[in-house]
Amino acid sequence: MNLSEPFTTSRLYFRLLNQLDTDAVYKQFSDPDMCRYFSEPPCDYNEAVEIIEHYAQPEGKGHHRYGMFDRETGSFIGTCGYHYWDAERKQVEIGYDIWKDYWGQGYMSEALLPPPLSFSR
């Protein structure tokens, strides 16, 4: 899978963030309720732009984040990705944030399910 390619689950659509998402990213990362669980303080608008730029062109980097969107409405739900990937140890640190209107509805359980396995002989 190419990390830049969008993908879906039954309720979610994942794609790279872009500058058109700046307002949504700013809303997400500047909200005190949301930031209560982050290691960083609430961001300002310029920092929201920097967040998007940081995760642009993910190929070959040790970190990545997708924008998560509701497939039915197209609404921005949050972001999901990894902060640290150690291929040698086969370890990855996953991080996510979901807008509070979507908390407790099983979105991350859905997002983190492994893809179906297929076997060939």
Side-chain angles (χ1 to χ4, degrees), residues 8-119:
T8 62
T9 64
S10 62
R11 297 182 295 165
L12 297 169
Y13 174 71
F14 296 83
R15 66 165 172 77
L16 294 180
L17 294 167
N18 62 54
Q19 294 306 317
L20 296 175
D21 301 315
T22 303
D23 289 343
V25 170
Y26 172 68
K27 176 183 174 186
Q28 186 90 345
F29 291 98
S30 67
D31 182 274
D33 287 337
M34 294 295 301
C35 294
R36 178 174 32 158
Y37 302 104
F38 299 161
S39 59
E40 300 290 326
C43 76
D44 63 28
Y45 198 82
N46 289 333
E47 290 168 323
V49 171
E50 292 172 5
I51 288 169
I52 292 169
E53 290 171 354
H54 180 73
Y55 291 108
Q57 301 172 348
E59 303 301 333
K61 294 181 180 176
H63 60 269
H64 181 50
R65 211 126 174 108
Y66 292 101
M68 289 189 303
F69 301 83
D70 182 298
R71 282 184 67 182
E72 189 174 306
T73 66
S75 298
F76 178 83
I77 291 177
T79 69
C80 178
Y82 57 90
H83 301 283
Y84 174 76
W85 183 335
D86 185 330
E88 186 176 306
R89 292 185 177 157
K90 298 181 181 176
Q91 295 177 334
V92 65
E93 181 179 308
I94 296 172
Y96 60 89
D97 54 90
I98 298 177
W99 183 246
K100 54 193 169 186
D101 293 347
Y102 296 91
W103 290 353
Q105 298 178 41
Y107 284 102
M108 285 319 303
S109 296
E110 179 178 324
L112 296 176
L113 285 174
L117 297 176
S118 62
F119 297 94

